[in-house]
Amino acid sequence: MIEVRCGNRRLAYDAYHITAAFFPEAVLRGQIRQIPTDGEDGGIEIRIDERTAARIDSDDKLAAGCMLYDALAMETGRTLPWGILTGIRPTKIIRRWITDGISDDECIRRFSEDYRADREKAALALAIAKRELDYLKKVFDACKGRPGVCLYIHIPFCPSRCRYCSFASVPADRNAEMISPYLESLRKEMRAIAPLIARRPVSSVYIGGGTPTCLDKEQLDCLLTTVRDLFCADQCEWTVEAGRPDTITAEKLRVMKHAGVTRISINPQTMNDRTLERIGRGHTSAQVKEAFAIARKAGFTKINADLIAGLDGETIEDFRETLQKIGECGPDHLTVHSLAVKRASILGQQEEKRVTGAVEVVKMCDAAREWAEDHGLKPYYLYRQKNMSGNGENVGYAPEGGGCLYNILIMEEVQDIIAFGAGAVSKFVDQTDQAGNQRIVRVDNVKDPKLYIEKLEEMIQRKEQILC
């Protein structure tokens, strides 16, 4: 038996997730036990078969994490690709080092030694961080010294719920009567906030979900017109998730193009029809190809495709077949996610989770990287989640200089993200707390669409308190 005793709540979160990464199939008990230490805050002790394998009496998160990692690596004979890193933004670390003038070689050395990450992952994070700096310079130059903002708009309706999904969404068919009042509340929230940011340049707009294209043509047109008129969205990058190909029509694409949408995302997740049926997607690979064809005919030149590595027992052969078939569609951007099983998903609530093994997921991500390189796409943004298969990552690929600004800005947290709709999370950067420290302030909207409608005034007031 392996027991991790943590005497400091500040260390407990990372300790739990480092341990969970070594034992992804285990049911961990997240109990925090106070252990006697020389300091006031306590440290971490790891006990294996009732013997103390390692211990540190310090509240230094980096030192405690490395001690725990080294003990678990020695006991299991395994390492983790991302070492002790449990946060979702590893590139922020390297981006700060680059800004401070640290050399490429030193960045890789620090990343691999201080955080126990593979040198390959360190090199990937470095390459992406350098590209992000180029994108961010363009954004700051375009803002001309004014504080820019990004906008996120959430549509919490979907044709069906995928087994792996943990996002705030509800079935559109069973909640059809709620869609119109929800959209009216969404427009009211945007109208209330628009005057408060009228003098700030909007760098990017992202409409996500759920599935925004499950709205009918008239509903979509009304929403997009409101966004364009309130925020001059046709003058910046503007992405709409057209994620489910079974919701895409030529009429809806014409509405999006007319409104000024510059980028869409068609997300098959896999091109294996058997897997699509098992995970509850409700569409076929043939519909994905058709959706790409009508999007091209509508004039879209920036189309992303999302894929998930590790779906429902798929093999590396299945994933390579998906890459080959998606290549026939010709996406301009590709985003590859390592499957993350969240408790809020259908899959996360099942006792037996039929997922692909960690080694196979790593092979899939390697195959995706090779495919992207062969098609002239470079990694331009990266983020991680808890409970990722193979201790992996999510990576976006695009032509050099042609990635999605919103994806970068939400990960690097250098601009305010003002979010509208149920489950949407606004982030306000460079806020000063009572101690005079700079920090990021989150303002969450309630997740349930019905409750969002009922509590709309409260959602508006939360943002007004920051912006006024």
Side-chain angles (χ1 to χ4, degrees):
M1 183 184 75
I2 297 178
E3 181 181 17
V4 179
R5 298 184 175 189
C6 185
N8 185 319
R9 290 185 178 274
R10 199 172 72 86
L11 305 179
Y13 180 84
D14 285 355
Y16 178 89
H17 286 288
I18 291 170
T19 307
F22 274 99
F23 303 99
E25 303 300 323
V27 178
L28 303 184
R29 293 173 176 81
Q31 184 178 7
I32 303 172
R33 300 185 180 182
Q34 189 70 38
I35 61 174
T37 60
D38 295 332
E40 293 182 359
D41 294 322
I44 289 180
E45 177 181 84
I46 177 168
R47 305 187 74 186
I48 300 173
D49 295 330
E50 298 186 356
R51 66 179 174 86
T52 299
R55 175 172 172 163
I56 184 169
D57 292 336
S58 170
D59 66 348
D60 184 315
K61 292 183 69 174
L62 185 60
C66 287
M67 181 281 292
L68 175 61
Y69 178 90
D70 292 343
L72 291 173
M74 181 174 294
E75 178 65 20
T76 62
R78 293 185 288 113
T79 59
L80 302 175
W82 288 97
I84 68 170
L85 291 166
T86 59
I88 70 173
R89 297 175 174 83
T91 55
K92 286 184 71 174
I93 299 170
I94 291 188
R95 183 169 60 82
R96 287 195 297 267
W97 291 345
I98 296 172
T99 303
D100 290 341
I102 305 300
S103 70
D104 290 359
D105 289 343
E106 180 64 9
C107 284
I108 291 176
R109 186 198 67 77
R110 285 191 185 185
F111 204 71
S112 57
E113 292 184 9
D114 294 354
Y115 296 97
R116 303 299 195 263
D118 290 352
R119 291 185 68 85
E120 179 183 317
K121 298 302 183 187
L124 173 65
L126 174 65
I128 291 174
K130 293 173 77 171
R131 289 194 179 96
E132 286 176 338
L133 282 169
D134 291 337
Y135 284 104
L136 294 176
K137 184 180 185 304
K138 293 176 183 177
V139 170
F140 295 146
D141 287 348
C143 289
K144 298 178 180 179
R146 294 175 293 168
V149 295
C150 286
L151 307 179
Y152 176 79
I153 298 146
H154 191 70
I155 305 299
F157 304 102
C158 260
S160 62
R161 189 165 182 81
C162 302
R163 292 181 67 235
Y164 57 81
C165 179
S166 61
F167 292 132
S169 64
V170 297
D173 56 351
R174 298 206 300 267
N175 295 274
E177 76 289 344
M178 195 192 303
I179 294 179
S180 290
Y182 176 83
L183 292 175
E184 179 53 40
S185 295
L186 185 59
R187 289 192 291 271
K188 185 175 179 180
E189 186 185 14
M190 290 190 288
R191 286 195 295 265
I193 299 304
L196 304 181
I197 59 172
R199 297 181 180 276
R200 300 175 62 178
V202 177
S203 299
S204 183
V205 176
Y206 197 102
I207 301 182
T211 307
T213 44
C214 74
L215 303 178
D216 65 33
K217 180 182 67 174
E218 289 73 22
Q219 291 167 336
L220 189 62
D221 187 22
C222 185
L223 172 65
L224 297 182
T225 299
T226 302
V227 175
R228 182 192 64 203
D229 293 348
L230 286 176
F231 304 109
C232 300
D234 55 343
Q235 299 176 25
C236 67
E237 175 193 84
W238 186 357
T239 299
V240 172
E241 281 189 2
R244 288 281 291 266
D246 47 327
T247 66
I248 298 172
T249 66
E251 291 80 9
K252 292 179 186 179
L253 288 166
R254 283 195 289 270
V255 165
M256 287 189 276
K257 193 67 179 173
H258 176 73
V261 174
T262 59
R263 181 179 181 271
I264 63 172
S265 189
I266 300 173
N267 303 331
Q269 314 303 4
T270 177
M271 295 293 278
N272 184 311
D273 286 337
R274 293 188 304 277
T275 305
L276 286 170
E277 183 177 358
R278 285 198 300 269
I279 64 178
R281 288 290 285 178
H283 66 81
T284 65
S285 57
Q287 287 176 294
V288 175
K289 293 182 179 180
E290 181 183 0
F292 266 89
I294 61 175
R296 292 297 186 202
K297 190 174 181 180
F300 284 97
T301 57
K302 289 186 177 181
I303 305 176
N304 174 71
D306 273 13
L307 301 179
I308 298 179
L311 279 174
D312 211 45
E314 283 200 336
T315 66
I316 181 62
E317 288 75 20
D318 294 328
F319 193 76
R320 287 200 175 108
E321 182 180 358
T322 284
L323 290 170
Q324 184 265 320
K325 288 182 177 179
I326 202 65
E328 295 170 3
C329 299
D332 306 286
H333 302 169
L334 181 74
T335 307
V336 181
H337 304 263
S338 296
L339 178 67
V341 180
K342 301 294 186 65
R343 283 194 297 268
S345 68
I346 296 171
L347 185 60
Q349 294 170 14
Q350 294 177 340
E351 288 188 14
E352 292 189 14
K353 301 172 178 59
R354 188 173 179 266
V355 296
T356 304
V359 174
E360 201 82 342
V361 172
V362 171
K363 291 179 181 178
M364 292 175 180
C365 292
D366 289 343
R369 185 179 65 252
E370 293 170 3
W371 183 94
E373 290 175 355
D374 291 343
H375 288 77
L377 306 182
K378 306 291 186 182
Y380 77 95
Y381 95 110
L382 176 154
Y383 70 101
R384 303 190 65 238
Q385 296 169 278
K386 302 297 181 295
N387 306 319
M388 297 192 82
S389 298
N391 191 238
E393 67 279 335
N394 303 324
V395 179
Y397 298 92
E400 195 74 62
C404 174
L405 288 178
Y406 177 84
N407 287 337
I408 294 171
L409 290 167
I410 196 170
M411 285 300 120
E412 294 308 302
E413 298 180 315
V414 294
Q415 269 193 0
D416 289 351
I417 307 288
I418 301 179
F420 304 97
V425 180
S426 298
K427 291 187 178 181
F428 298 91
V429 303
D430 296 332
Q431 298 296 306
T432 304
D433 61 21
Q434 293 181 343
N437 300 314
Q438 297 295 107
R439 63 189 184 95
I440 295 172
V441 174
R442 288 170 54 103
V443 178
D444 299 27
N445 282 356
V446 294
K447 292 184 178 182
D448 181 78
K450 184 178 179 180
L451 197 58
Y452 165 78
I453 295 170
E454 295 173 0
K455 292 182 172 290
L456 179 63
E457 291 303 323
E458 181 183 336
M459 303 301 101
I460 292 172
Q461 289 171 11
R462 289 178 183 180
K463 294 183 181 65
E464 288 177 337
Q465 289 174 359
I466 300 289
L467 291 168
C468 289

